[in-house]
Structure formats: C-alpha cells, structure tokens
Amino acid sequence: MTASEIRALFAVANRPEVVSLAGGMPYISALPLDAVGEVIGELVAKQGASALQYGLGQGMPELREQICALMADVGIDASVGASPDDVVVTIGGQQALDLIARLFLDPGDVVLAEGPTYVGALGVFQAAQAQVVHVPMDHDGLIPAALEIAIEEQRRLGRRVKFLYTIPTYQNPAGVTLSEERREQVLDICERAGLLVIEDDPYGRLGFEGEAPRPLRARRRDGVFYLSTFSKTFAPGLRVGWILAPHAVRDKLVIATEANILCPSNFAQSVVSTYLSTMPWRQQLKTYQQIYAERRDALLTALSDLMPEGTTWTHPAGGLFVWATLPAGLNSKAMVPRAIAARVAYVPGTGFYADGTGQQHLRLNFSFPPPERIREGVRRLAGVVEQELATRAVFGDTGVLDAVTELPRPGAHAPGPDLA
C-alpha cells in the first residue's frame, strides 16, 4: 500500500498562499447552503430517531428508488434491468471500488484500465495485489484495438484478466470522453472475451457541450457494473455513492458491505434523499455546469496565453480536469517542489499510472479556484516551466524522462491531436 500522490500534496496545496490546481474538489459554495442547512435541521427534528439509527446494509429503499430515477434520465432503466433491488448504496464511489475488488480480485489477477486512470482506483487494485495493465487512449477515449491487443497479450502470458475498469465520460484525469462508436466496440470486445466491465461515472452529469453519450450500462444489461456518486453533484462530505450490479452479484456485495462497515450512514443517505425530494437539484446541476464551464474556459485561455512553446493539453467537454503535457525533456514530478516554492500546486502524471510512468504529464483541476486564481496559478506554473526549460538548455537532458505517451494534446502550439 502506497500513499496517494494527491493526498501527499494536500498539506501544502491547501495553504491560502498556494493556488491549488491539484485537488478534484467540487465548488460547494455554489450550493444554497442556508436552504440545505434548514432541510438538514428539519430532517433531524422530524426524522432523527430513524435517520440517526443503524440502517440496511444495502442502503435505504427510498434512496435506491431515487437513484433508479436518476439513472433512468441517462437511459439506465428497467429496459436494461435497472431495479432498486440491484442497487447497493456505498460510502462514496471509493467504497464501491473496494467492494468490487474484494469480490473479484485475487493476488496476481490483472485489471485492465485506461492509461492514465483514477489514482484512487489504482490504490484499491494494488492493495488487492492485482496487476494493473494500462490501455492507451486518444482524443476519442480508450482505443478498442489496443484493448483487444492487451487482452490477447495477458492471456498469452497466462495471466487471469478479471475486468476492464473505465471512466468513459469526462475521464479523470484526462478529461476525454469515449466516443459513441467506440462504446459499442469496447462492449463487444469485452463480451467476446468474457470480461466484466466496471463503469465509473462520477462526472457524467457535469457536461458543458451538449449531452454526453449514454453510459455503457444503458447499452448492455449483463456484464457491466455501474458506479456513481453524489460527491460531484451534491456534497462529497456526505460520502454517498452506489453500485448497480448484475442481480447474481447483488447479495455478495451486500454481504461484503456488512462485513466491511455494517451499513452505510443512514443520516447521510437521509440528507441526500431529502435533498433530491425537496430541493431544485436539477437547477443546481445547471449552476454547476455553468460555473465549471467558465472555469474550464479560464484555464484553457490561460494555458494558451501563458504556457511556453511545446506545452499541450486536452479540451474536456465536461468534468473537472485538464491533462497537460510538458515540453520534451521536462519531468512533472521533479518539478513539484519548485512549483510549491512558486506557490502553485498540480498533480504529476506519475500518480495516474501503476508503473510510475507519465513523468511528462500533469493534471490540472479547474472546478475549485475562481477564474482569476486559475489564471494566476497558470502564470506561476508557466514561470516554473520556463525556468526548467532554461535549466535544461544549460545542463542538457538528465535522462529522467519516460518515453512520451498516449493522449491527444490539442492545446495551443499544436495544430491538432497528436496521437500515440
């Protein structure tokens, strides 16, 4: 078990003098906090005896019904087997990943995942002693041909591949979205290979440029676990997420939950359920979308205006993150101390690869800082990069970089996608 690159940064990134482009924190101040406080106070006054009591290992029936209504909005409905009976409420999306790892992973098993992928998932899979094998992406998301090659190669080596873990919509950390055509191709490949699909969808409702493609689970009834959370669309501090699992696995997930935590918080679930039933949460989503679109644009504009030649980045249509690539020869992890000294924080790309590659890349968050702070953060970051380039010009290549990898980088100073 190793420390998260992101958590290790929190101690310094949260200092007021540091512009943090590192974390993935939602902008909670956009919520009507007075109204939320009143709702919570009324909940305790009227339903405290039940809300503060132990609950069911599977989660509150009322909330599971509301979750099914939410999923129906994006096409995951009864026609593809979605039912409150098959929803398991979890302590955020992170526990959902942990439960799946407990059920399916034995030491030495292989998990296929996008490269780069969510750092929290890497921690879960590595704690289960699984091997994570990355599948390359480009501007349309996971590359189906590369997925087929990865499956064949692992089986040729005699390794047991348990599932594909994917964040197909507004991916963390890359910000890219799996295209409509590729969603069907990926599902077909996994079905032919007898491979489960773990679809993690925390950002799907945070799009800025039209509707996101339908989730994978909306397309296939069997073989797809759908994970999501209220952390990005309501409040991460409540730690409420869920799994929609194939029916045959639901009972095992509940048993694993009861062995792990006994039951998810009845109080947190009651707050989420009350919020969904009494407050204009759809309008709140639009508010988040507008705020995040403005901040995404502020980040992209600042990168275009201020970053040195040779720096490129993705253009997310939603979510919370931009994935940037430094000029050739620079190492984002080695740069961290100098960036902190310049009072700006980011997450180096190495945190998003199981093998520690990704040194030329970094993840930038735009959801939390206001636009003027984002621009100031990029100004400071650009100064650090310029200093690194000047040092390299004097001392030459130190030999610390990995091979250049994976993603499209359609930012300034690049005519278009640069596909690996």
Side-chain angles (χ1 to χ4, degrees):
M1 300 179 73
T2 58
S4 160
E5 298 261 6
I6 299 173
R7 293 291 172 188
L9 282 168
F10 269 15
V12 290
N14 287 339
R15 295 174 184 169
E17 71 272 16
V18 175
V19 178
S20 179
L21 305 175
M25 295 185 292
Y27 186 58
I28 296 302
S29 295
L31 285 169
L33 295 175
D34 290 347
V36 172
E38 290 176 8
V39 165
I40 293 174
E42 189 172 342
L43 169 66
V44 173
K46 294 183 176 180
Q47 303 177 44
S50 59
L52 299 174
Q53 187 56 272
Y54 287 118
L56 300 174
Q58 189 174 352
M60 290 173 49
E62 302 94 323
L63 181 58
R64 287 188 274 120
E65 290 176 1
Q66 290 169 308
I67 286 169
C68 281
L70 289 176
M71 292 190 296
D73 286 348
V74 294
I76 305 174
D77 55 23
S79 68
V80 290
S83 162
D85 288 342
D86 294 332
V87 171
V88 177
V89 179
T90 61
I91 302 177
Q94 192 69 16
Q95 193 210 8
L97 287 170
D98 184 70
L99 291 175
I100 289 171
R102 287 169 183 265
L103 256 62
F104 287 101
L105 295 179
D106 295 309
D109 285 344
V110 170
V111 174
L112 299 178
E114 294 139 344
T117 194
Y118 169 50
V119 64
L122 289 177
V124 168
F125 302 148
Q126 289 167 341
Q129 301 179 57
Q131 300 179 57
V132 177
V133 173
H134 291 293
V135 181
M137 291 188 290
D138 61 18
H139 64 284
D140 285 325
L142 189 74
I143 301 172
L147 175 62
E148 285 192 292
I149 291 170
I151 293 171
E152 292 169 3
E153 175 67 11
Q154 294 306 306
R155 291 185 172 172
R156 184 185 67 79
L157 294 171
R159 296 173 178 167
R160 184 168 50 186
V161 182
K162 280 293 178 69
F163 52 73
L164 168 68
Y165 170 72
T166 177
I167 310 170
T169 305
Y170 315 136
Q171 202 252 10
N172 177 6
V176 300
T177 296
L178 187 64
S179 67
E180 186 75 33
E181 179 183 7
R182 286 189 180 182
R183 290 181 183 235
E184 297 295 339
Q185 293 174 350
V186 166
L187 287 169
D188 287 343
I189 290 167
C190 291
E191 187 174 298
R192 288 196 300 269
L195 204 62
L196 292 173
V197 176
I198 312 301
E199 179 181 17
D200 199 354
D201 187 26
Y203 310 103
R205 291 179 179 267
L206 296 177
F208 322 138
E209 299 177 1
E211 294 294 322
R214 286 185 306 135
L216 304 179
R217 183 62 179 78
R219 302 160 189 267
R220 298 292 163 97
R221 184 186 187 101
D222 299 318
V224 181
F225 288 71
Y226 181 79
L227 283 55
S228 193
T229 177
F230 292 102
S231 291
K232 307 303 186 293
T233 56
F234 180 26
L238 291 171
R239 311 303 304 129
V240 178
W242 73 90
I243 305 173
L244 175 65
H247 186 75
V249 182
R250 186 274 319 274
D251 287 344
K252 298 295 185 184
L253 287 169
V254 175
I255 291 169
T257 294
E258 291 171 343
N260 184 213
I261 54 145
L262 190 61
C263 63
S265 165
N266 235 22
F267 177 69
Q269 291 178 82
S270 297
V271 172
V272 172
S273 180
T274 303
Y275 173 75
L276 294 174
S277 61
T278 64
M279 300 192 71
W281 61 269
R282 292 181 189 276
Q283 184 58 46
Q284 184 61 46
L285 275 179
K286 293 180 181 178
T287 299
Y288 277 133
Q289 290 165 346
Q290 292 165 0
I291 290 172
Y292 294 162
E294 179 188 20
R295 295 180 179 197
R296 184 277 313 264
D297 292 345
L299 177 57
L300 294 179
T301 299
L303 290 169
S304 180
D305 291 346
L306 301 172
M307 291 299 285
E309 187 81 19
T311 312
T312 54
W313 49 87
T314 57
H315 184 111
L320 308 182
F321 306 109
V322 165
W323 184 248
T325 301
L326 295 169
L330 300 194
N331 184 319
S332 65
K333 188 168 185 177
M335 259 173 45
V336 167
R338 292 181 279 280
I340 295 299
R343 296 171 298 154
V344 62
Y346 60 83
V347 184
T350 51
F352 304 97
Y353 288 89
D355 57 5
T357 57
Q359 291 99 321
Q360 197 175 348
H361 308 285
L362 52 101
R363 191 192 75 177
L364 302 173
N365 166 257
F366 55 79
S367 63
F368 193 72
E372 63 275 11
R373 289 285 283 173
I374 289 174
R375 188 172 183 88
E376 175 60 19
V378 173
R379 186 192 68 78
R380 297 176 187 182
L381 177 62
V384 174
V385 174
E386 288 168 352
Q387 186 178 28
E388 292 291 300
L389 287 171
T391 301
R392 180 179 169 82
V394 173
F395 294 103
D397 188 357
T398 60
V400 294
L401 284 177
D402 61 330
V404 175
T405 49
E406 59 286 339
L407 279 175
R409 297 179 284 275
H413 317 309
D418 175 17
L419 308 184

